[in-house]
Amino acid sequence: MAEAADELSTPLGQNTVGKTRRVRLPFTAMQALAVLLGLVLVGFAGVALFNDNPLGGEPIARITLRNPPPAAADDKHAPAEPAVKSAAKAPAAAGDAKNDAKTVTIIDGSSGKRQDVVIGAGDPAEKTTDGDAPPLAMTGIDPRLLEKSRYGMIPVVADGLKPFTVYAAEADRAKAARMPVVAIVVAGLGVGAAKTTDAIMKLPPAVTLAFTPYGADPGKLAERARTQRHEILLQIPMEPFDYPDNDPGPQTLLTTLSSEQNLDRLYWHLSRLQGYAGIANFMGARFVATDPVMQPIVREAAKRGLSFFDDGSTPRSVAQSLSAGQSLPFAKADFAIDVVPTSAEIDRALVKLETIAKERGTAVGVASALPVSIERLGAWLKTLDSKGIMLVPLTTAMLKSKSG
């Protein structure tokens, strides 16, 4: 022990071979901490510089988009919930399922063009002022002809009144019974406010306008059309032969679904806008040619006091025979006037429509809202009086065909 103590007490500078040395670190604890903090800052800088998120570090809000109920939208096997309840028995039914804003791709059935659109948030029932009546801005909507579904307000027959008769455009039906008539339906409206507004404002009131259930606010555009005295139809997306490669859009009626599921989807579409005199197929060549799936749709349209317009996209459609069995007002387009969207071809198709009207007494043409279609239609319609042909709303053509 004494020898060890002597070694520890040896003065600096003396020979210390075989004796213990003290080790001095090259930096202090504070210096080490500073180096560590520097490395951390360098790491954060690297993340900020090389991360592929240009908004890294910015506040983020996460929003949950709710889809329609599975049974009604995607589940092809689960039974659908009852979609409609009486307004008196289920005052809260309209709020059971709400549809938030959602971007979808819509395919034009005639041109094949695709367009991204936003389906508006909420259902029409949320905009009512007293829980039973439609929005006050919707002039001419009879609240008696609406009932609540879980998606919103949908048409119904009440007090002997039907939407078909109440929302039909005015026309001289006595005169129409005595002379050749032409009805023009401009379809695919509601998606694209500019082209929809052109059709509403540039075409005469006797032209019938058909709206799809899609778009940011189809109800607002439909109401504008009614304010300009056009009668309107609601197009129901139905399955085409090349589905799903060619997809009409959300809530499409499908041949693979049960009648309950298709009716549930139908109610969703019916709630998207108000004041229409009837429904029409949107695409749907396979669906309208399949009797078992079309029967419930035609029955429901008749039950709700509507009419059915077949756009003539398939010669195998069973809509006419089923409509006759239900005493449902019906019309089928003779052809689309703008299959080839050029001025020359559209003019040629319109001359053909004149010929059919003179031979049969009634002719029905369907068109899209292409600028060239609107321009050629507007010019042609001004010539009809001089040719002894009367332009009439589609409902008048339906009634004339039925009486004939």
Side-chain angles (χ1 to χ4, degrees):
M1 291 295 292
E3 182 180 357
D6 289 341
E7 290 178 356
L8 291 174
S9 60
T10 302
L12 291 175
Q14 293 184 3
N15 184 8
T16 56
V17 177
K19 299 179 181 180
T20 302
R21 292 185 180 182
R22 292 182 181 179
V23 178
R24 181 181 296 274
L25 295 175
F27 47 79
T28 66
M30 290 300 293
Q31 291 172 326
L33 181 59
V35 171
L36 181 60
L37 289 175
L39 292 174
V40 171
L41 291 174
V42 169
F44 276 116
V47 171
L49 288 173
F50 300 106
N51 188 13
D52 61 1
N53 178 12
L55 299 179
E58 293 292 326
I60 297 175
R62 299 188 183 276
I63 301 174
T64 300
L65 297 179
R66 290 171 293 179
N67 291 321
D74 300 315
D75 189 348
K76 299 183 179 181
H77 305 289
E81 298 180 38
V84 181
K85 298 180 181 178
S86 119
K89 294 182 181 178
D96 290 345
K98 299 174 182 176
N99 304 285
D100 295 331
K102 181 178 181 182
T103 301
V104 298
T105 299
I106 304 301
I107 304 173
D108 188 305
S110 59
S111 67
K113 293 182 179 178
R114 296 173 178 261
Q115 181 178 5
D116 290 335
V117 298
V118 177
I119 298 177
D123 59 52
E126 293 177 341
K127 302 177 183 178
T128 60
T129 56
D130 60 7
D132 294 309
L136 293 178
M138 296 172 62
T139 53
I141 301 296
D142 191 330
R144 295 173 297 174
L145 301 183
L146 294 173
E147 73 173 355
K148 290 181 180 179
S149 75
R150 66 195 184 108
Y151 300 115
M153 308 301 285
I154 62 177
V156 69
V157 175
D159 299 333
L161 299 175
K162 296 181 179 181
F164 172 76
T165 53
V166 171
Y167 301 132
E170 295 181 2
D172 188 343
R173 292 175 184 168
K175 181 181 178 181
R178 302 190 303 267
M179 63 187 299
V181 300
V182 164
I184 297 293
V185 178
V186 176
L189 301 179
V191 177
K195 71 175 185 179
T196 300
T197 300
D198 278 350
I200 293 171
M201 304 306 296
K202 294 182 179 180
L203 296 174
V207 173
T208 298
L209 304 181
F211 287 77
T212 71
Y214 307 127
D217 194 348
K220 182 178 179 180
L221 291 169
E223 177 58 21
R224 184 172 184 182
R226 296 184 67 255
T227 300
Q228 295 298 317
R229 297 182 294 120
H230 293 278
E231 73 181 16
I232 64 173
L233 302 175
L234 172 66
Q235 291 182 275
I236 308 297
M238 299 178 180
E239 180 184 349
F241 280 112
D242 51 354
Y243 181 86
D245 292 335
N246 196 6
D247 189 350
Q251 302 283 37
T252 293
L253 275 56
L254 300 174
T255 58
T256 53
L257 297 181
S258 68
S259 60
E260 291 81 8
Q261 289 172 306
N262 276 325
L263 286 174
D264 187 80
R265 293 185 172 203
L266 175 66
Y267 298 146
W268 185 88
H269 295 298
L270 294 179
S271 72
R272 302 305 294 166
L273 52 97
Q274 311 296 341
Y276 42 90
I279 61 175
N281 60 300
F282 177 58
M283 301 173 63
R286 181 191 296 275
F287 195 91
V288 299
T290 308
D291 193 289
V293 293
M294 271 296 289
Q295 282 187 21
I297 304 305
V298 170
R299 281 198 305 267
E300 193 69 18
K303 171 186 170 183
R304 297 190 174 277
L306 300 168
S307 61
F308 191 89
F309 174 62
D310 186 330
D311 69 3
S313 55
T314 175
R316 295 157 55 183
S317 173
V318 297
Q320 184 168 5
S321 60
L322 292 178
S323 296
Q326 296 291 326
S327 299
L328 179 72
F330 175 85
K332 183 176 182 178
D334 291 297
F335 53 82
I337 68 168
D338 53 0
V339 173
V340 180
T342 65
S343 296
E345 289 302 320
I346 291 173
D347 289 347
R348 187 174 291 110
L350 293 173
V351 170
K352 182 179 176 183
L353 206 61
E354 293 175 20
T355 303
I356 294 174
K358 291 177 178 178
E359 291 177 351
R360 292 196 325 221
T362 304
V364 180
V366 64
S368 59
L370 295 171
V372 65
S373 304
I374 300 299
E375 189 271 327
R376 297 317 304 154
L377 272 173
W380 175 74
L381 291 172
K382 294 175 182 177
T383 71
L384 288 185
D385 283 344
S386 63
K387 298 173 181 177
I389 299 174
M390 182 180 178
L391 173 67
V392 297
L394 183 66
T395 52
T396 299
M398 288 176 170
L399 292 171
K400 178 174 180 175
S401 297
K402 187 176 181 180
S403 61

